[in-house]
Amino acid sequence: MLRFSPCVPMSLFGLVFCMSSMAFSPSRAADFDAERMEAETEWAVIVSPYAWAASLNGSGSLAGFDTDVDVPFSEIFDHLDFVLMGNVEVTNGKWGLYFDGQHVQTSQDEQAFAHEIGLDIKTTTLSAGAFFKAYEIDLGGQTVFGKPRTIAFEPTAGVRWTELKADVSAFGTSTTKSADWTDPFIGLRMNADLTERWNLFAEADIGGFDVGSKVSVNAQAYLGYRMEMFGKPTILRAGYRLLYQDYENDDFTGANKFRWDVSQHGPVVGFSMRF
């Protein structure tokens, strides 16, 4: 989710030295352009851990019971046991592949008929996709990483897998029920260098198409700040993300429907580090 293109590793000092020591002939210009193109096609790995404070809103159905889903993040946080979120991207600045995942585990205990009922819920969402830079506008100047400032538009396509798993223990017995589905999606990414340090990234995709869910929508936007961290080019990011899924299938009873018509939305903070 949090991405930036590889920087060009040629320093401005080296360029100035070459220009002052000899005439910058057409042949030298061609050599410089060739070196720059070669640098821009080097593959890089970008690792982006993040935290998404998502609330849930919508409706659901299980075993013939319909319920409204309205869970603010503060309530989820009270029962949060484990969370892992992150994005890994491999890109040469023109083409790229990415993997994005979130795993959240919550637990809670309730009382019923003088007995304690335990409920553990695990939610996992994994996405994998590819993109390419289809159109780029030069804004002039460079970023602090030595890359020309641009606005780039990148079509993307991939698949998103979702699993909901519930472990229920009561009256001395326990059971596990789960549902999972896979959604293909298509979308568009936009990456804009606002200044030499500030960056805006936005992405939106739509999927499902009745292959997995009826429809799924993912939209996110982040404002980023470029800096070095541990000697690596890094972008600190903060923004907002929405994931909406409308999925329906037979539930574990075989006679009723499981439905998950829910949007997850909330602020996101994280960073992207290039290796």
Side-chain angles (χ1 to χ4, degrees):
M1 85 109 245
L2 307 176
R3 313 172 185 100
F4 57 93
S5 302
C7 62
V8 180
M10 174 170 286
S11 68
L12 290 178
F13 175 82
L15 177 58
V16 172
F17 176 80
C18 290
M19 293 179 65
S20 61
S21 62
M22 62 186 302
F24 202 59
S25 64
S27 61
R28 289 295 300 167
D31 291 342
F32 174 73
D33 289 339
E35 291 172 0
R36 176 174 174 176
M37 290 177 63
E38 181 180 355
E40 290 184 341
T41 56
E42 291 179 353
W43 289 89
V45 177
I46 301 170
V47 179
S48 306
Y50 61 87
W52 181 19
S55 301
L56 306 180
N57 295 100
S59 61
S61 180
L62 181 65
F65 294 96
D66 297 327
T67 182
D68 291 330
V69 178
D70 185 9
V71 185
F73 177 75
S74 58
E75 292 186 12
I76 297 176
F77 187 79
D78 290 339
H79 303 284
L80 189 64
D81 293 333
F82 178 78
V83 60
L84 180 65
M85 301 178 179
N87 181 288
V88 177
E89 181 176 301
V90 180
T91 180
N92 66 354
K94 180 65 176 179
W95 302 87
L97 303 171
Y98 60 89
F99 176 83
D100 185 86
Q102 308 102 39
H103 178 77
V104 180
Q105 182 174 337
T106 61
S107 64
Q108 62 187 88
D109 296 321
E110 301 291 346
Q111 294 290 327
F113 305 107
H115 291 275
E116 186 175 88
I117 298 177
L119 178 62
D120 296 340
I121 299 177
K122 302 180 183 70
T123 305
T124 304
T125 304
L126 305 176
S127 303
F131 66 91
F132 73 96
K133 187 179 296 184
Y135 187 69
E136 187 175 59
I137 302 172
D138 190 353
L139 298 179
Q142 290 186 328
T143 70
V144 292
F145 298 151
K147 171 185 172 292
R149 290 179 55 243
T150 63
I151 297 178
F153 297 91
E154 302 166 341
T156 181
V159 293
R160 179 179 296 109
W161 177 75
T162 302
E163 181 186 57
L164 304 176
K165 181 181 291 185
D167 297 325
V168 182
S169 58
F171 310 108
T173 63
S174 62
T175 184
T176 299
K177 302 299 180 183
S178 65
D180 67 273
W181 63 94
T182 301
D183 292 330
F185 64 83
I186 56 174
L188 182 68
R189 310 179 350 157
M190 186 274 293
N191 206 333
D193 299 317
L194 304 180
T195 70
E196 65 176 9
R197 286 195 178 271
W198 290 98
N199 166 270
L200 177 65
F201 176 84
E203 178 180 4
D205 63 65
I206 185 169
F209 311 118
D210 277 328
V211 175
S213 61
K214 292 182 179 179
V215 63
S216 67
V217 176
N218 173 63
Q220 50 194 320
Y222 306 97
L223 185 64
Y225 181 79
R226 292 184 174 92
M227 61 178 293
E228 278 200 3
M229 184 183 296
F230 305 113
K232 300 293 184 181
T234 303
I235 297 183
L236 305 180
R237 294 194 187 272
Y240 202 86
R241 183 173 186 176
L242 163 72
L243 176 61
Y244 168 72
Q245 295 172 300
D246 184 1
Y247 172 77
E248 183 177 308
N249 205 346
D250 294 336
D251 68 7
F252 63 90
T253 66
N256 298 286
K257 292 291 185 181
F258 168 78
R259 186 172 187 191
W260 180 255
D261 185 8
V262 172
S263 62
Q264 304 175 58
H265 57 91
V268 181
V269 293
F271 66 89
S272 299
M273 183 176 290
R274 176 183 179 271
F275 294 89

